[in-house]
Amino acid sequence: MFCALGRARSMLGDTAAARDAYARALALNPRAAAAYSGYLYHLMHDPGASAETIFAEHCRFGDALDASLNAPAPRHAHDRNPERTLRIGFVSGDLRRHAVAHFMEPMFEALGQRGLDLVAYSNLAREDEISARLRGLIPTWRPVAALSDGELAAQIRADRIDILVDLSGHTADNRLPVFALRPAPVQVTWLGYSGTTGLCSIDYRFVYTLTAPPGRLDEQFTEKLVHLPYAMSFKTDPDAPDVGPLPALTRGHFTFGSLNRPNKISADCIALWARVLKAVPDARLLVGAVSEAATAERLLAQFAAAGIGPERLDLRPRLPTRDYLALHNEIDVLLDTFPYAGGTTSNHALWMGVPTLTLAGRTLAQRLGAGIMGKVGLSDWVAESEDEFVAIARRAAAQPDELAALRRCLRERLMHSPNLSTARVADSVALAFRLMWRGWCAGQAPAPIILPRFDE
């Protein structure tokens, strides 16, 4: 019951209430892994939760899961040839029309071209047209939603997976308890969740160097960090509309925007955005994905409490993909959320010529925007303080001609940035898999990996 309440509160954008509902579910059943994941996911959205608290709570999950499973130490009889063809398994509940697929579709294709034998474990009750497209890129595709954790672990062992990759973390439909059973010799988490899993059974975590510079966030992860020198490639919608002119030049006022899901919009976030609107008195704020009346009422009340009236707000419902992309042609600059920054939304915005002003922080979730802006040379859109955030917003609004010029070149920059070559990312990931495997074959404990750039 409390898990259902947590999901409902999350859909309405009330992450604090959602976190508390999952906490109540855990109080009734401390071994409920799905409730624990829901609690941790929403804790990541709490601006009052420190990096230390978030890490400690994730570690507590890992300890509780290990205690509940009481699994024997795994034995893996894999061929320890360090240079043989590797069999890589990917476990995800998001191999469908989802943000993860935007990143993994080009990556699956590229990794398959690099001599890796790929297997997908799709934890979906219902697949879609994107799932069908992904199936064509992966030689072995196994629907596993109906399998128990023990059955899925047994299947992974039977498939002789060398390196098993989690693409979900603590998001919905994850299979983290399977990883705790250690069905593969080397286990990795990547992409789907912007924090640690808390599991000692997962050895490594891929991160982008600009998001997580070596040594800066390492203590927040139970996994050893593998630093990729290139950003994940991002497959944009082929039907995306053309980039329009800067709205401020024709509308007579500046339009800030937010197209992140409403449950990322914290009270602290609204307070900062209100400061921006006060600093640019004629500006308006367009907020997308507001489809529930209760969500709209909450946002209007919070902005009113911060001194911003409804006449300066434009709340829009969730839209089909092409209409959502076209909405960027009504926005001059996006304001990022915190403490959980945008990921897919900021990448879509770059494609539509719109920069995202982001506030960097101490966690990976807070630094997502820093990596996205940095990969196309826009680190000047990364604020290190709230005062700087307001100052950058004010400066952007005062320089519409410069912003218009940036808008015209962003899509081209995204297509040709040296940090965004799918081939280079795939080369880096393939090299990382090889280094992980060589380490396991040699009996070495996992250690951080800093991968070299191939263009230097």
Side-chain angles (χ1 to χ4, degrees), residues 214-360:
R216 184 159 180 173
L217 303 181
D218 298 53
E219 74 281 357
Q220 297 177 28
F221 292 83
T222 53
E223 306 86 4
K224 300 302 181 183
L225 297 188
V226 180
H227 297 273
L228 296 171
Y230 308 99
M232 280 290 291
S233 51
F234 180 81
K235 186 174 179 60
T236 54
D237 194 295
D239 194 33
D242 292 337
V243 175
L246 188 76
L249 295 179
T250 57
R251 292 191 168 191
H253 65 83
F254 201 84
T255 304
F256 294 105
S258 170
L259 300 178
N260 278 307
R261 48 186 165 81
N263 63 3
K264 281 189 174 183
I265 304 176
S266 64
D268 288 19
C269 192
I270 287 174
L272 179 57
W273 292 355
R275 286 185 59 191
V276 168
L277 291 174
K278 291 173 183 176
V280 188
D282 63 343
R284 291 171 60 84
L285 175 65
L286 188 157
V287 183
V290 181
S291 297
E292 303 290 338
T295 303
E297 291 171 5
R298 176 181 67 84
L299 292 173
L300 289 171
Q302 288 178 308
F303 273 106
I308 301 299
E311 72 281 357
R312 301 190 66 188
L313 303 173
D314 185 0
L315 307 184
R316 303 289 185 91
R318 187 177 300 278
L319 298 170
T321 300
R322 195 177 193 283
D323 294 336
Y324 148 74
L325 291 172
L327 194 58
H328 291 80
N329 286 331
E330 300 183 38
I331 297 169
D332 297 296
V333 169
L334 283 177
L335 302 180
D336 210 351
T337 49
F338 71 93
Y340 210 119
T344 304
T345 50
S346 298
N347 279 286
H348 279 309
L350 288 176
W351 188 251
M352 293 305 302
V354 183
T356 298
L357 172 54
T358 188
L359 179 64

Side-chain angles (χ1 to χ4, degrees), residues 104-148:
M104 289 309 299
E105 184 173 354
M107 193 51 48
F108 283 144
E109 183 175 14
L111 289 175
Q113 295 168 351
R114 280 155 178 76
L116 298 169
D117 187 4
L118 307 184
V119 180
Y121 299 94
S122 175
N123 195 46
L124 287 174
R126 187 176 299 176
E127 297 180 352
D128 61 15
E129 76 282 1
I130 303 299
S131 309
R133 207 157 69 203
L134 294 174
R135 273 178 177 263
L137 301 175
I138 300 177
T140 305
W141 180 284
R142 299 198 187 283
V144 299
L147 299 184
S148 69

